[in-house]
């Protein structure tokens, strides 16, 4: 993700009512029903980038509440701009580092987690920063409802192999896995392409995906 410091992005975020404000995040665990004003299931995307995937999902599934999480203001700004064109009541954003995700959602409050084209952090010493690492899986274990699923897709083979190896020590099991998502009719059903997926699949890169549970 190319990052530029876009002047005014913090101000736009502070004023946008589709962003859950940093100062109230500590009060959020257990209160997401109130934030959305209904008790529909909650699906989150961690590292949503400019938000194409989660915006499309929210539009296609109005009976599900979506929360997009992104670390950088300048990137989140793009997702907010999409909401300014057509606001969706079932979509909220948070600007935060997902390291604290288990402080923002209560135990079992989330019904599905999406990780799409997560940053690879190629150096070994940074492995624990990778979003499908065992350290992050332990956080997801807290917030994800029992029997619910986490879906991860990427075009980065090293990251995918790492993610698969992390599952057993972290206590997660594979429900489905493919090393060629776009050639897999069953897993492609309902697939919404992310920005990165469009870019890398158009270059001919295979897309890897797993669906896991514990
Ligand atoms: N999911 C989008 C897609 O598939 O097009 C964006 C992929 S981009 C490679 C990864 C995004 O994850 C970046 O926008 C980055 O800022 C965000 N990200 C990485 N680590 C994060 C973290 N710890 N917490 C929140 N966002 C994070």
């Amino acid at each position: 993700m190319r990052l530029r410091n876009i002047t005014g992005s913090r101000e736009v975020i502070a004023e946008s009512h589709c962003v859950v404000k940093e100062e109230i995040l500590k009060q959020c665990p257990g209160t997401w029903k109130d934030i959305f004003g209904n008790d529909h299931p909650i699906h989150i995307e961690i590292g949503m980038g400019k938000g194409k995937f989660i915006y499309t999902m929210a539009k296609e599934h109005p009976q599900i509440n979506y929360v997009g999480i992104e670390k950088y203001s300048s990137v989140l700004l793009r997702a907010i701009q999409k909401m300014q064109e057509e606001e969706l009541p079932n979509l909220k954003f948070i600007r935060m580092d997902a390291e604290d995700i288990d402080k923002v959602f209560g135990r079992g409050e989330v019904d599905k987690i999406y990780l799409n084209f997560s940053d690879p952090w190629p150096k070994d010493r940074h492995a624990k920063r990778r979003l499908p690492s065992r350290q992050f899986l332990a956080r997801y274990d807290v917030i994800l409802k029992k029997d619910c699923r986490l879906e991860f897709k990427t075009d980065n083979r090293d990251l995918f192999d790492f993610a698969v190896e992390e599952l057993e020590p972290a206590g997660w099991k594979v429900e489905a896995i493919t090393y060629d998502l776009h050639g897999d009719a069953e897993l492609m059903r309902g697939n919404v392409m992310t920005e990165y997926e469009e870019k890398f699949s158009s270059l001919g890169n295979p897309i890897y995906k797993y669906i896991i549970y514990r």
Side-chain angles (χ1 to χ4, degrees):
M1 179 71 56
R2 198 168 135 254
L3 288 176
R4 278 185 303 134
N5 197 9
I6 299 174
T7 318
S9 54
R10 280 185 183 270
E11 290 75 7
V12 174
I13 289 168
E15 280 164 22
S16 169
H17 59 270
C18 56
V19 179
V20 180
K21 302 290 169 296
E22 244 166 290
E23 55 274 20
I24 72 150
L25 285 178
K26 269 193 256 149
Q27 303 155 28
C28 284
T31 71
W32 283 92
K33 283 189 180 80
D34 304 327
I35 292 170
F36 282 105
N38 60 52
D39 61 358
H40 298 170
I42 294 174
H43 293 189
I44 69 174
E45 184 189 8
I46 302 177
M48 68 165 179
K50 296 176 191 165
K52 176 181 178 289
F53 171 84
I54 199 157
Y55 186 88
T56 310
M57 292 293 281
K59 203 164 171 153
E60 286 182 2
H61 305 283
Q63 295 310 310
I64 295 173
N65 293 324
Y66 289 88
V67 183
I69 293 140
E70 171 53 50
K71 187 156 65 169
Y72 293 109
S73 306
S74 51
V75 184
L76 174 57
L77 184 65
R78 300 294 179 214
I80 294 172
Q81 284 166 343
K82 233 170 263 167
M83 283 283 259
Q84 284 167 343
E85 286 160 28
E86 186 189 347
E87 188 162 342
L88 305 176
N90 60 327
L91 176 58
K92 299 280 180 204
F93 301 127
I94 306 175
R95 196 209 61 76
M96 67 177 286
D97 190 318
E99 270 182 15
D100 289 328
I101 195 77
D102 50 346
K103 299 187 182 85
V104 168
F105 294 95
R107 182 168 288 278
E109 199 172 16
V110 173
D111 298 87
K112 192 177 266 193
I113 299 176
Y114 293 101
L115 307 176
N116 292 320
F117 295 78
S118 308
D119 291 335
W121 292 104
K123 292 184 179 141
D124 285 347
R125 68 190 155 89
H126 290 149
K128 66 175 188 293
R129 294 188 194 173
R130 298 172 192 153
L131 293 180
S133 67
R134 67 189 71 184
Q135 289 82 359
F136 272 98
L137 288 172
R139 297 174 181 119
Y140 308 148
D141 184 44
V142 176
I143 63 170
L144 186 66
K145 198 169 287 167
K146 198 170 174 286
D147 295 331
C148 285
R149 303 291 187 261
L150 180 152
E151 301 194 5
F152 169 52
K153 55 184 174 177
T154 179
D155 72 320
N156 186 309
R157 182 62 191 257
D158 288 342
L159 179 65
F160 193 67
D161 288 344
F162 165 83
V164 170
E165 280 164 20
E166 291 292 88
L167 297 178
E168 202 189 312
W172 290 68
K173 300 180 192 84
V174 175
E175 179 180 82
I177 187 163
T178 179
Y179 288 78
D180 179 17
L181 174 63
H182 291 196
D184 185 321
E186 199 173 317
L187 285 180
M188 270 305 269
R189 210 171 300 128
N191 185 61
V192 168
M193 297 251 258
T194 78
E195 269 115 2
Y196 272 63
E197 186 172 357
E198 276 182 350
K199 182 170 159 192
F200 291 115
S201 62
S202 74
L203 296 174
N205 295 7
I207 307 299
Y208 315 115
K209 175 171 179 170
Y210 69 41
I211 301 174
I212 57 167
Y213 65 102
R214 75 280 191 236

